[in-house]
Structure formats: C-alpha cells, structure tokens
C-alpha cells in the first residue's frame, strides 16, 4: 500500500514540491525493507528535494537523511552510513540540545552503525557517557529508548575483545 501511495504521489503531484518530497519519502520507505537497492536512489532524491525546497525545515531534512543512512546500512555500506549518521547527530544536537528525544535516537543510530563496524570502544563511550545519561534524564529508566541504549551497551561490552572483568564491573554499576 505504501509503495502504491508513494508512486501515486510522485506521478500526480510533480508540480507541488511538498507532495513530491512526501511521495519520495513514502516510496523510499516502502521499497527499503524488501528492495533497498531500488530504495537508495529514491531516498537520495528525497534528501536532495528536501534540501532544495524545504531548507528551512530541519526536521524534514533530518528525517530524509536518517532514512537514507538506514538504507545505506541495510546495503552493508556502513562507513557511509556512519558518516551520515554522525552528521545527523551533530546537527540534531545543534538544533535541539543534547537531551532531546530526537538527539538520543540519532545517537542510537550512530551507536548501531559503530557496532556494525566493530568500533566497540567508541560505541561504549558514546552510549555510557552521553546517550544513557541523557535518556535517563529525559525519558526515564523504563523508556524503550533508554532500555535499547542499555542493551546496546551490554552488547558492545559482550562483543568487545578488549573488555576486561573490571570494565564489566564498572559498567554494571554505572549503567543499571
């Protein structure tokens, strides 16, 4: 249904920039789960359209860029996804401040990409020092985003070959 709606928006509303941007986003999101190779150029075009016609709307641009970064990650292009996720996170911090839910979510995207690349030390540091404290303050200990950040930290500690028992004890005390 999303795929059909996306195509319909694109075909019917070429003159209306807002609908074109929405159509590209819907189409790219519909393609991404099953056909990420086909979704990639659609999402790239969606980012370009948002930057061209909606440069004043940071939320729209960040959302389009996040979809593109997720698609890159789906395709195994983790280096490119990490670069884009870092830019999104930095821009989010600038716009909203460090404790906003969108900033925490963009940080979680950075952490997930770091995990795909095996950059566990940076993954641990970002989660423990920035994301978890902000998530606890803003969302509370029982929020799904906070719990997901805790799970990311646990997985980073589990898979990090450099992790010692002392690291585990320190993080157990601090994280939970």
């Amino acid at each position: 249904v999303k795929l059909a709606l996306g195509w319909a928006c694109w075909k019917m509303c070429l003159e209306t920039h807002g609908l074109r941007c929405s159509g590209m986003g819907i189409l790219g999101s519909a393609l991404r789960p099953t056909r990420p190779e086909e979704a990639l150029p659609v999402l790239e075009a969606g980012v370009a359209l948002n930057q061209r016609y909606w440069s004043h709307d940071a939320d729209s641009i960040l959302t389009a860029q996040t979809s593109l970064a997720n698609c890159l990650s789906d395709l195994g292009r983790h280096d490119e996804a990490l670069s884009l996720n870092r830019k999104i996170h930095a821009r989010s911090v600038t716009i909203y401040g460090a404790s906003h839910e969108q900033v925490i979510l963009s940080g979680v995207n950075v952490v997930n990409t770091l995990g795909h690349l095996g950059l566990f030390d940076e993954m641990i540091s970002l989660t423990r020092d920035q994301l978890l404290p902000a998530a606890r303050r803003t969302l509370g200990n029982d929020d799904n985003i906070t719990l997901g950040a805790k799970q990311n930290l646990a997985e980073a500690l589990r898979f990090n070959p450099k992790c010692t028992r002392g690291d585990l004890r320190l993080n157990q005390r601090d994280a939970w």
Side-chain angles (χ1 to χ4, degrees), residues 46-82:
V47 168
L49 284 171
N50 274 287
Q51 289 173 332
R52 181 174 180 185
Y53 296 113
W54 296 95
S55 60
H56 61 281
D57 188 354
D59 284 334
S60 294
I61 294 170
L62 291 172
T63 299
Q65 289 175 326
T66 299
S67 295
L68 177 59
N70 290 338
C71 187
L72 288 167
S73 192
D74 291 345
L75 291 168
R77 294 166 61 176
H78 300 297
D79 289 325
E80 293 170 78
L82 179 60

Side-chain angles (χ1 to χ4, degrees), residues 100-153:
H100 192 276
E101 182 176 358
Q102 288 303 115
V103 174
I104 297 165
L105 285 170
S106 69
V108 168
N109 287 337
V110 172
V111 165
N112 288 335
T113 310
L114 289 167
H116 287 299
L117 292 168
L119 301 171
F120 300 113
D121 291 334
E122 189 175 349
M123 187 179 178
I124 291 166
S125 175
L126 178 59
T127 304
R128 184 188 56 221
D129 300 339
Q130 294 178 33
L131 298 180
L132 271 176
R136 284 191 189 113
R137 262 190 324 274
T138 305
L139 308 170
N141 276 326
D142 296 331
D143 185 83
N144 285 336
I145 297 169
T146 306
L147 294 172
K150 288 179 181 182
Q151 182 178 354
N152 284 341
L153 178 59

